Amino acid sequence: MADAAALETIRFFRQSPAIDDKSKQPNPAGAQKSYDPVTIADRNAEQAIRKVAANRFPEHGVFGEEFGIHNPDATMRWVVDPIDGTAAYVLGWPMWGTLIGLTEKGSPVLGLMDQPFTHERFWSTADVAMMRRHNEHEMQLKTRACSSLSQASLTTTHPDYFADPEKAAAFQRVKSAVQTTRYGGDCYAYAMLAAGTVDLVVECDLNAYDIAALIPIVEKSGGVITTWTGRPATEGGDIVAAGDHRIHAAALETLNAS
């Protein structure tokens, strides 16, 4: 699936594909969305993944960002974001990836994040998380130990995404407590957390297809990932991921402080 998607994403990367802004589409809820770009690469890549899924696993469901749900009552469901980080993709930055997750009765089973431009692939098995660069041997992923927020590195995609004042204040409390903060990660930030180079990721208002594939990768590498209230992250929402359970607990406490 990832190989099929990569043919489409690489074909258009840094080729200035036409961009549609999904935030301009009618919103039944009436809420104003922020800039939400989509390109032919997003759509073609998701169609490529769906074609493989239909051929290999016709009884499975598929839920993708661009084309919605197929076979919604299936026990096994592929959850797909063909380009997570389209805003970075259209700028020619490599901070994006293809997300492919498999859930069983709503629970994440397997996950994969593929970055075909840098030739990096991150995935989970039933027991561990792995990565591969170029044609190198596979390497097991392991998060790093970090005992306190004051020693932690924090990342999020962009501070403007915390549009809600309360969520912005909560993020700022965590930012003020950590050692360093960097922006611009999307799915790549979670991969780096699993690889042991980042300690903490805090984001808000994610969709299921933004996070389902990343949950097994984080967890099988030794990390913790939940909502800000400590609930499972499978359906998205406000997300906190940590490489060490101690800073995950500290981040939860800080996010929810009055």
Side-chain angles (χ1 to χ4, degrees), residues 121-160:
R121 183 169 291 179
F122 305 80
W123 71 95
S124 72
T125 71
D127 303 307
V128 297
M130 305 291 293
M131 76 166 293
R132 184 177 66 240
R133 296 189 186 96
H134 296 278
N135 294 318
E136 297 175 2
H137 293 298
E138 296 173 2
M139 179 180 72
Q140 185 174 339
L141 296 172
K142 184 173 177 56
T143 60
R144 66 184 180 190
C146 184
S147 61
S148 69
L149 289 179
S150 63
Q151 299 174 324
S153 60
L154 166 68
T155 185
T156 194
T157 299
H158 199 285
D160 286 355

Side-chain angles (χ1 to χ4, degrees), residues 165-175 202 228 251 254-257:
E166 291 187 3
K167 293 179 182 181
F171 175 77
Q172 186 60 43
R173 287 194 297 270
V174 178
K175 181 178 181 295
V202 176
W228 290 11
T254 305
L255 287 167
N256 292 288

Side-chain angles (χ1 to χ4, degrees), residues 80-128:
V80 176
D81 190 346
I83 301 179
D84 183 77
T86 303
Y89 179 91
V90 299
L91 293 177
W93 296 359
M95 308 300 287
W96 55 274
T98 295
L99 297 179
I100 305 171
L102 178 65
T103 64
E104 182 175 10
K105 296 181 180 179
S107 296
V109 177
L110 300 173
L112 177 144
M113 193 287 270
D114 191 51
Q115 214 313 330
F117 183 73
T118 62
H119 301 281
E120 293 176 300
R121 183 169 291 179
F122 305 80
W123 71 95
S124 72
T125 71
D127 303 307
V128 297

Side-chain angles (χ1 to χ4, degrees), residues 21 35 37 61 77 108 144 147 158 180-181:
D21 183 1
Y35 177 58
R77 177 184 293 177
R144 66 184 180 190
S147 61
H158 199 285
T180 184
T181 302

Side-chain angles (χ1 to χ4, degrees), residues 169-214:
F171 175 77
Q172 186 60 43
R173 287 194 297 270
V174 178
K175 181 178 181 295
S176 298
V178 300
Q179 185 176 74
T180 184
T181 302
R182 290 294 180 270
Y183 301 121
D186 288 292
C187 59
Y188 203 83
Y190 296 87
M192 292 298 95
L193 185 144
T197 66
V198 172
D199 299 305
L200 191 63
V201 183
V202 176
E203 297 196 284
C204 69
D205 301 324
L206 298 189
N207 292 290
Y209 47 72
D210 295 317
I211 202 68
L214 297 166

